[in-house]
Amino acid sequence: MATPFPAQESADVVPRPVILDASDGTYGRIRNLLCGGLTLEERILRQLRRAGCEEVYVLLDRLDSHDDALLNHGSRPDLLPACIHRVTKIPLADSSICIWFPARTIIHPRLLERLLQPGDPVHVRTSGCFAGAALWSCHDGAQPLGRALEMRELDSYDESTRRDQAVYFHPIRDEKDIARDSEFLLLRTQKDALDLPGRYLHPRFENALVRKLAPSRITPNHITLATTIAAFVVTALYARGFLRIGALGAAALGVLDGVDRKLARLRLETSRLGEMEHVLDFLYENSWYLALAAHFRMRPYGVALVAADLADNMAYLAVKKRTGRMIDELSPGDRAFRAVAGRRNIYNWILLPCFLLGALMARSPAAGFRLAVRWGAITATIHSLRAATARVGSGTARRGEGRPRS
């Protein structure tokens, strides 16, 4: 039995309880449907956990095992608040202040975090639906409290995708809204600062795969592990001289590498393996270069490309530490250079035509590898010089803002 909160005189004395309204009157018709791979209920619960909320009251019309399944969809209790109280009656005294979230909505993480902040109460309202600070009355229910927040007041820059994205609060009414907002959330997982293949070629294939995988029990970790294993198979193919099959496999892995990240952003899933993904990428990518160098008997070239890749990564880290931004975000020129800079996808598309069509192009496969090494060295040199000249506060400001993207 949930312990009722007393009426609150100050948010600084008693923390405002968080109520998630999942009653059938507002939610029943669509409670079993998935939006971006999650029920609307679990999506908000995961967002609340990410925002630091560890106790939530979920308002239901009745208590049964069906609701237990909804609260634990995906078997990831580690991504949910530690204390989830299922109640059929709001455990608040009359005239209490709470933070109210309707389950039949999707809400931007930054907006949700703002509504949870202590201090002056604020709420957001759209299409007859509101979320945020509320005054609870046993007779009138939850009524919005405090100032109506304008979404344009919030920073629209998304660090995970490196681009500005509008802050949103969408009510969900029916299956059409579920389908619309599933696609909306998927498109928001796309990064901006990418190379040409990652920006123009891969998204169509990545999005098609994510649409299929989102409702399944396959996790981003499964994709990461499968990608890593397949990547070392490519290493073996290159070492044994199966260049065409290896190059095609490497091109396919460029797509898979984006799938796990998009799936993680869409379903709000994080893990230690996901945090180590960049390390795994570095290991298998450089194993490709060393395997090709061994096959062509050009080991100095392989070492040079690994050294260039390492120098490039160090330049990125130095700029990130000094400015709080990636090199690609410092200026429009840096962003444009990212589209063609020497990285795995660009190397793949240098090597692929040489391996597949080398005879027709009057080029040997080894010539493509030499070209990739030279372009990698040029890229590392440019980025190292950029890292040496980057200053704190330099770079392109966000639209309407002057502070760094951190």
Side-chain angles (χ1 to χ4, degrees), residues 108-285:
H108 192 282
R110 188 168 289 122
L111 175 58
L112 180 140
E113 291 171 7
R114 175 64 183 89
L115 296 176
L116 288 172
Q117 287 178 2
D120 294 335
V122 294
H123 67 274
V124 63
R125 178 190 289 272
T126 182
S127 301
C129 182
F130 89 94
L135 186 66
W136 174 255
S137 167
C138 296
H139 299 289
D140 300 324
Q143 300 297 321
L145 179 69
R147 181 173 66 88
L149 185 68
E150 296 288 338
M151 284 183 276
R152 64 174 179 267
E153 299 176 33
L154 301 177
D155 184 5
S156 62
Y157 182 74
D158 182 2
E159 187 173 2
S160 68
T161 57
R162 303 182 198 171
R163 61 187 176 120
D164 287 295
Q165 303 204 70
V167 177
Y168 59 86
F169 176 57
H170 294 174
I172 306 291
R173 302 175 185 85
D174 51 33
E175 292 84 351
K176 290 183 179 179
D177 287 346
I178 288 281
R180 177 203 66 196
D181 283 315
S182 291
E183 190 66 15
F184 171 79
L185 292 171
L186 173 58
L187 294 178
R188 292 176 66 91
T189 64
Q190 180 64 43
K191 277 190 174 182
D192 185 40
L194 292 171
D195 49 40
L196 291 175
R199 186 179 301 176
Y200 298 111
L201 180 62
H202 295 172
R204 176 174 297 184
F205 301 102
E206 291 169 353
N207 292 346
L209 287 170
V210 172
R211 288 187 193 99
K212 296 291 186 182
L213 294 172
S216 73
R217 293 188 176 274
I218 295 175
T219 69
N221 280 351
H222 294 148
I223 307 298
T224 299
L225 287 171
T227 301
T228 303
I229 293 169
F232 283 109
V233 171
V234 170
T235 302
L237 290 171
Y238 278 155
R240 292 177 175 272
F242 296 101
L243 303 182
R244 295 177 182 177
I245 299 175
L248 290 170
L253 288 171
V255 174
L256 280 181
D257 189 54
V259 169
D260 59 350
R261 297 173 189 180
K262 284 188 173 182
L263 190 61
R265 294 187 200 111
L266 182 64
R267 296 204 313 213
L268 306 173
E269 293 185 6
T270 57
S271 68
R272 291 184 179 179
L273 182 61
E275 293 169 358
M276 292 177 57
E277 185 181 7
H278 292 294
V279 176
L280 296 173
D281 290 350
F282 179 83
L283 292 175
Y284 73 67
E285 288 168 18

Side-chain angles (χ1 to χ4, degrees), residues 18-198:
V18 176
I19 310 295
L20 179 61
D21 180 12
S23 57
D24 286 347
T26 60
Y27 183 54
R29 291 182 302 163
I30 54 175
R31 66 186 304 127
N32 291 318
L33 301 180
L34 301 183
C35 184
L38 299 173
T39 62
L40 296 172
E41 189 174 330
E42 186 177 14
R43 180 169 294 279
I44 293 182
L45 287 171
R46 289 191 179 193
Q47 288 179 297
L48 288 168
R49 170 63 184 270
R50 282 191 166 195
C53 178
E54 292 293 351
E55 185 172 26
V56 180
Y57 288 80
V58 180
L59 178 62
L60 303 164
D61 285 321
R62 59 190 177 279
L63 301 179
D64 55 36
S65 58
H66 176 67
D67 295 311
D68 283 333
L70 285 171
L71 289 178
N72 294 285
H73 175 75
S75 302
R76 290 297 304 271
D78 56 308
L79 299 180
L80 303 178
C83 297
I84 300 176
H85 305 287
R86 299 160 57 247
V87 298
T88 57
K89 182 179 179 182
I90 299 294
L92 297 176
D94 209 17
S95 300
S96 294
I97 298 175
C98 63
I99 306 297
W100 186 270
F101 292 103
R104 61 179 182 93
T105 58
I106 61 169
I107 183 170
H108 192 282
R110 188 168 289 122
L111 175 58
L112 180 140
E113 291 171 7
R114 175 64 183 89
L115 296 176
L116 288 172
Q117 287 178 2
D120 294 335
V122 294
H123 67 274
V124 63
R125 178 190 289 272
T126 182
S127 301
C129 182
F130 89 94
L135 186 66
W136 174 255
S137 167
C138 296
H139 299 289
D140 300 324
Q143 300 297 321
L145 179 69
R147 181 173 66 88
L149 185 68
E150 296 288 338
M151 284 183 276
R152 64 174 179 267
E153 299 176 33
L154 301 177
D155 184 5
S156 62
Y157 182 74
D158 182 2
E159 187 173 2
S160 68
T161 57
R162 303 182 198 171
R163 61 187 176 120
D164 287 295
Q165 303 204 70
V167 177
Y168 59 86
F169 176 57
H170 294 174
I172 306 291
R173 302 175 185 85
D174 51 33
E175 292 84 351
K176 290 183 179 179
D177 287 346
I178 288 281
R180 177 203 66 196
D181 283 315
S182 291
E183 190 66 15
F184 171 79
L185 292 171
L186 173 58
L187 294 178
R188 292 176 66 91
T189 64
Q190 180 64 43
K191 277 190 174 182
D192 185 40
L194 292 171
D195 49 40
L196 291 175

Side-chain angles (χ1 to χ4, degrees), residues 351-382:
L351 297 172
L352 193 59
C354 293
F355 290 175
L356 295 179
L357 306 172
L360 296 177
M361 299 171 59
R363 293 252 179 193
S364 70
F369 182 59
R370 280 193 292 268
L371 179 59
V373 173
R374 288 165 184 162
W375 185 235
I378 291 171
T379 296
T381 301
I382 291 172

Side-chain angles (χ1 to χ4, degrees), residues 199 327-341 382-383 386 395-396:
R199 186 179 301 176
I327 287 180
D328 315 322
E329 301 173 282
L330 294 179
S331 73
D334 292 300
R335 184 175 291 267
F337 183 64
R338 174 68 177 89
V340 296
I382 291 172
H383 281 162
R386 194 70 180 96
T396 305

